[in-house]
Each structure stands twice: as C-alpha cells, then as structure tokens.
Amino acid sequence: MSFINYASREINCKIVYYGPGLCGKTTNLQHVYQKTAPDAKGKMISLATETERTLFFDFLPLALGEIRGFKTRFHLYTVPGQVFYDASRKLILKGVDGVVFVADSQEERIDANIESLDNLRYNLKEQGYDLDKLPYVIQYNKRDLPGAMTVEELRRDLNPTSVLEFEACATTGEGVFETLKAIAKLILVDLKKGK
Amino acid sequence: MSNPQMVMYDEEFQEINEVIGRLLNDANAKVIFLVDKNGQLISGVGDTERFDTTSLASLTAGNIAATGGLAKLIGEKEFSILFHEGEKDNLHISIVGGRVILVVLFDNRSSLGLVRLRVKKSSDELSAIFDSLLKKAEDRERKGVSDFPFAEITDDDIDNLFN
Ligand SMILES: Nc1nc2c(ncn2[C@@H]2O[C@H](COP(=O)(O)OP(=O)(O)OP(=O)(O)O)[C@@H](O)[C@H]2O)c(=O)[nH]1
Ligand SMILES: [Mg+2]
C-alpha cells in the first residue's frame, strides 16, 4: 500500500524481492546500494544470521527523484528464502506494492523455485492480494553458472502468465537495475490508474 | 487491492504534529515518531536530526510485526505496548487506533510511568485524527475527487526518474 503524503509531497512505495534460499535477493539489493549515489539512498539494513542468510529482512530506501513535484521513494525489502522462515515472509509482504520474484537458474533449484513461487501466491492470497493483479516481474538470476537452465525452460515452469522477465547475474550487477526499473515503472503506472 | 490507499493532507498533518509536539513536552521526551505499520515514517518531532529516521521507521514496523506474530501464536490479538530499556535511552512503542505506531524516546529526565500516562491521552487524540483522515480519503474517493498528482504522469516522467 503506497503512502501519499500531500503535506510533505512524498510518495512511498514498497517493493519486495521474493524467491528461494540463496537465489540472490540480498545480492540484488547490495548491488543497487553500491551503484546508487549517496544522496539517493539511505542506509541498507540487513537482519541476517552469522552466516549471512537473511533472518528477517533486508531493507534499502531509495529516493529516486521527483515526479510532478512529488518526491518518489521506493522501499526495497527482501524476504528470508529458507523454507522455515515462512512466518517472517508473511510479515514482510504486508503492504506490498510490487513483487520481484528472483529465480535461481540452476537446474537443481527448479523445485525450490516452484515451491517458493507457490508460497508467494499463497501468502499473498492470505492477505487478500492476487499475484496476477499486482505489479510483478521475474528475474532469472545466476545466468553465469554452467548448470543454468535455458530461459525457455524457466519460462515454461515459472512464468506461465508471461509477466516481464529479466536475465541477471546479481554478483556482477547484470540485469539488476533493469529489473528494478521495470517493477518501479509498473507500480507507478498502477498508481496512475488509481484504485 | 486489499488495502486502502494511505494518504496524508496538510490539515491533518498539522493537527498530528501539534499533538505529538505537545506529547514531547508533557512526557519530557527526546524525540517522538509516528510510523505506519508498513514501515513508512509519517512524522517526527524533537531531536529528529540525530536519527536515521527511515531506518528507524522500518525497524519499528518490523518489530511490531514480529511481536504481533508472536501475540497471535499465544492467542493474543496484539501487544499494544512495547518497552525497550537501555542504559541511557528508552523506547516506548505503542499502537494507535490499530493502524499507526507511536515511538517515544526518552531518558532519565522522564520516566516510564509519565510516558505511559501521557501517551494514553495523546493516543486518543491521534486516533480521532486518523479516523477523520480515513473518512476524508474515502469521501474523496467516492466523490471521484482526484487530487492525485500522478493522473497525468507520462512514460517520460517515469523514465526520467532513473537517469
Ligand atoms: N554465480 C552467481 N552467484 C550468485 C549470483 N547472485 C547471488 N549469488 C551468490 O549466491 C549466494 C547467496 O546470495 P544471497 O543474495 O545471499 O541469497 P538470498 O536470496 O538473499 O538468500 P536468503 O537470504 O537465504 O534467502 C551468495 O554467495 C551470492 O554471492 C549470481 O548471479 N551468480
Ligand atoms: Mg538474503
């Protein structure tokens, strides 16, 4: 749920990066953080385990600039991908304006991808959202790895509704901003339509 | 959409700031923030410069969400007040009108008892303001009044954001 503040002329939107454990959600945010000018970003917060797995969420606030005199801010969150953190994932989804599903392209992770996508759909539904009506894009990450499935295979298994999709290598940053721009744009277009 | 659009207008914004400004004095607090349950900062008074308010808002909301989850697990609706005691500074966090989070930071020039008492009174006032805010937003929507700044936004406007 975006927050429009007419008093301070600001619009805030919430983007959630979802996907199975180790697919590269945190790495996406880290790249955005590193490549964003200091005046356009806040601190990145990572609530993580000692082994750098996301425990609760990562959070990165971005102030992209103004549209029609309104400061436009995006709050980027990642969920913890590990299966047993489901309760936390539900909490992070509250008030979401747009979702990026980060898939792990490696063949051995296809089941984990499918499970996580089902879990996303289910958790959204529980809160009254429908993934098919929400601004939503898919990122096929880890394209650099030798065991990566082809995009056609991934599309068949993970993108039956043909939402916008992007190939990425989050460690080098390839595809990361393309993905972010796409979801931000979908959210703004959705806002424009009004509800 | 499952949630109504959260909006804030000048009039209510001023009213809110008056209430929390008064609370700041009455409770002898150092700083006070209002945060929405999704982690967005609504307003702050006092020594706000010293804090990373955006991070504070997000972590507060995460904290409330996590304890809310805990509450449900043990059969409570929610814990409406959280208190964190530090060596110097303390945090009093409470839920106002079921929707908004009020964060009061205070040190030993005040006390938990005083803060709790003052927060209670301010909460009722804030609750009333947020009620009328919600009604106003609904009214406008029903009448089709759109002061929404994005109605005429173009693709170029959006693309420019990223350049
Ligand atoms: N080769 C390769 N490695 C990647 C890529 N993206 C992320 N990684 C690595 O994968 C590992 C996990 O990445 P994270 O970003 O922590 O994964 P996550 O999705 O946040 O995982 P959880 O927090 O457990 O849900 C790290 O070692 C990353 O460096 C990629 O595109 N290619
Ligand atoms: Mg992570």
Side-chain angles (χ1 to χ4, degrees), chain B residues 107-136:
Chain B
D107 60 15
N108 59 13
R109 283 172 296 174
S110 183
S111 70
L112 178 56
L114 179 67
V115 169
R116 194 185 286 153
L117 182 77
R118 301 300 193 199
V119 160
K120 205 164 174 191
K121 178 160 170 283
S122 304
S123 291
D124 294 339
E125 293 175 53
L126 288 170
S127 238
I129 299 171
F130 279 102
D131 278 346
S132 75
L133 189 64
L134 200 71
K135 230 181 116 251
K136 192 165 168 180

Side-chain angles (χ1 to χ4, degrees), chain A residues 19-28 30 52-55 58 78-82 85 102 141-145 168-172:
Chain A
L22 297 178
C23 68
K25 302 175 291 295
T26 298
T27 313
N28 261 271
Q30 283 167 341
E52 308 222 327
R53 303 296 299 269
T54 302
L55 178 63
D58 300 298
T78 73
V79 299
Q82 293 181 86
Y85 288 133
V102 180
N141 191 33
K142 304 201 182 182
R143 296 309 299 157
D144 58 309
L145 291 180
C169 173
T171 37
T172 61

Side-chain angles (χ1 to χ4, degrees), chain A residues 1-7 11-12 43 45 47 56-57 59 61 64-68 70 75 77 91 94-95 127-129 181 184-185 188-189 191-192 195, chain B residues 1-10 13 38-42 52 54-55 58-59 62 65-66 141 147-154 157-159 161-162:
Chain A
M1 170 182 50
S2 53
F3 173 25
I4 304 182
N5 191 332
Y6 291 96
I11 295 187
N12 291 313
K43 242 216 229 104
I45 293 176
L47 303 180
F56 194 7
F57 58 77
F59 168 68
L64 285 186
E66 293 196 356
I67 292 189
R68 312 263 150 160
F70 273 71
H75 288 179
Y77 284 84
L91 297 177
K94 287 201 174 138
Q127 307 195 26
Y129 294 102
K181 278 183 202 179
K185 196 165 171 177
L188 293 173
V189 168
L191 270 179
K192 174 184 168 180
K195 297 165 198 151
Chain B
M1 264 314 192
S2 64
N3 289 311
Q5 179 75 59
M6 166 100 171
V7 292
M8 176 63 68
Y9 302 106
D10 279 324
F13 194 61
N38 299 321
Q40 289 153 355
L41 183 73
I42 297 171
D52 177 350
T54 313
S55 301
S58 157
L59 286 174
E141 195 173 319
D147 34 9
F148 188 57
F150 277 22
E152 285 144 42
I153 184 183
T154 62
D157 285 334
I158 297 176
D159 287 332
L161 272 186
F162 289 94

Side-chain angles (χ1 to χ4, degrees), chain A residues 13-52:
Chain A
C13 305
K14 176 172 179 176
I15 299 174
V16 174
Y17 284 70
Y18 213 93
L22 297 178
C23 68
K25 302 175 291 295
T26 298
T27 313
N28 261 271
L29 258 64
Q30 283 167 341
H31 180 78
V32 172
Y33 181 79
Q34 280 157 16
K35 289 288 161 356
T36 303
D39 60 332
K41 70 187 175 195
K43 242 216 229 104
M44 177 162 167
I45 293 176
S46 290
L47 303 180
T49 66
E50 279 168 4
T51 54
E52 308 222 327

